[in-house]
Amino acid sequence: MKLLENAHLDCLSELIHTLSLTTGSCRLHLKLESYSCKMTGDDKKLLRHITNASEDTGLQALSPPNLGYGYHSPTVTGTGQEQDACSTRTFHCLVSTLNASFRPDYDFSNTKSEEFCRMPNLNTVTQDIHNIFYTSLGDSFCDIKEHLWNTIDKEIGLQECSFYSYNSDLDSDPYGDCLWYFNFFFYNKKMKRILFFSCQAHPYGDTTMSDDDDMYYSGTDMGSSDIE
């Protein structure tokens, strides 16, 4: 996986973060990143690891989506819905994206496929994100909503995407110390590209989040843009 530099996505991440500091109910830390799915040497090793660990049959089981909840707060319970599945290659792309986005602090190589879910459609994803940002940012989100989705659509081609989300295990990943979080993967198989949209909420005055963390999550630290 290789991070594809996009100044418009970086500016959006920083803008929403700044809005949360001036008008929001909590501090929002975002990742809005685009990745090429072309495999590197590390990605090929990860694919072999996944295949060997799961006695690969070509499909990986997924958990049902947490529909109607909006965001993780952060615990996941079963919904009784029929279990979904994705291809091993898609599962590999999702795990590789997490590794690329959060390395070197976190390693998702042993993440289980059941920690992911497939979202039914684009409307479900956009409504979840709108509900969250309206609650957190108020009317100020209205001013940037159209620009947000136009920018994302230009980068990833939303109508051609499938949509996934990762359910944190809270113990060994970056989502364990926040008030709530969401993350979505916009996967365009034809473009061989994933756009990763992640948000964490932290209370004002949270001493666990340093200035360096603000840069890390808002995407303004571009010193390691060529992730291979």
Side-chain angles (χ1 to χ4, degrees):
M1 306 294 285
K2 179 179 180 180
L3 180 64
L4 305 174
E5 294 190 32
N6 186 313
H8 299 291
L9 294 178
D10 296 338
C11 288
L12 273 170
S13 296
E14 182 62 22
L15 175 59
I16 294 173
H17 172 68
T18 301
L19 285 175
S20 76
L21 299 178
T22 56
T23 65
S25 58
C26 51
R27 299 169 65 192
L28 302 183
H29 302 274
L30 277 79
K31 284 178 172 287
L32 193 52
E33 302 168 339
S34 181
Y35 289 92
S36 165
C37 294
K38 183 178 180 179
M39 286 198 294
T40 65
D42 286 343
D43 293 325
K44 293 176 182 178
K45 291 179 182 177
L46 176 61
L47 182 58
R48 289 194 295 269
H49 170 74
I50 291 173
T51 302
N52 292 336
S54 63
E55 298 182 356
D56 180 40
T57 61
L59 292 176
Q60 300 288 332
L62 302 173
S63 293
N66 230 12
L67 298 178
Y69 194 8
Y71 53 81
H72 305 280
S73 185
T75 183
V76 176
T77 58
T79 64
Q81 297 177 333
E82 183 177 353
Q83 191 169 39
D84 198 358
C86 70
S87 70
T88 297
R89 183 71 180 93
T90 296
F91 171 55
H92 167 262
C93 287
L94 299 177
V95 176
S96 293
T97 299
L98 288 174
N99 276 341
S101 186
F102 289 105
R103 70 173 49 163
D105 299 304
Y106 298 94
D107 184 359
F108 293 85
S109 299
N110 293 317
T111 299
K112 304 299 183 183
S113 63
E114 290 87 352
E115 294 176 57
F116 293 91
C117 64
R118 191 204 313 267
M119 306 304 293
N121 49 53
L122 174 59
N123 185 63
T124 302
V125 174
T126 57
Q127 286 303 311
D128 275 358
I129 292 174
H130 290 172
N131 291 339
I132 294 164
F133 281 150
Y134 278 132
T135 300
S136 302
L137 302 176
D139 291 339
S140 60
F141 177 62
C142 296
D143 298 330
I144 65 170
K145 181 178 70 172
E146 183 177 355
H147 177 54
L148 170 69
W149 292 112
N150 286 342
T151 302
I152 290 175
D153 186 37
K154 185 176 180 180
E155 176 65 17
I156 198 65
L158 288 170
Q159 297 303 321
E160 297 179 337
C161 287
S162 52
F163 309 95
Y164 299 86
S165 183
Y166 166 69
N167 301 320
S168 168
D169 67 7
L170 304 183
D171 295 325
S172 58
D173 66 33
Y175 296 109
D177 295 322
C178 57
L179 295 173
W180 54 259
Y181 72 92
F182 73 74
N183 62 71
F184 293 104
F185 303 79
F186 301 74
Y187 178 37
N188 190 318
K189 186 177 181 180
K190 183 184 295 185
M191 294 178 67
K192 298 181 179 180
R193 183 178 297 183
I194 285 182
L195 188 142
F196 181 51
F197 194 172
S198 171
C199 180
Q200 296 184 41
H202 292 267
Y204 291 121
D206 185 354
T207 58
T208 65
M209 299 298 294
S210 66
D211 291 339
D212 289 340
D213 290 326
D214 284 344
M215 293 179 64
Y216 179 68
Y217 283 102
S218 66
T220 56
D221 183 5
M222 299 302 295
S224 58
S225 62
D226 188 12
I227 299 177
E228 297 182 333

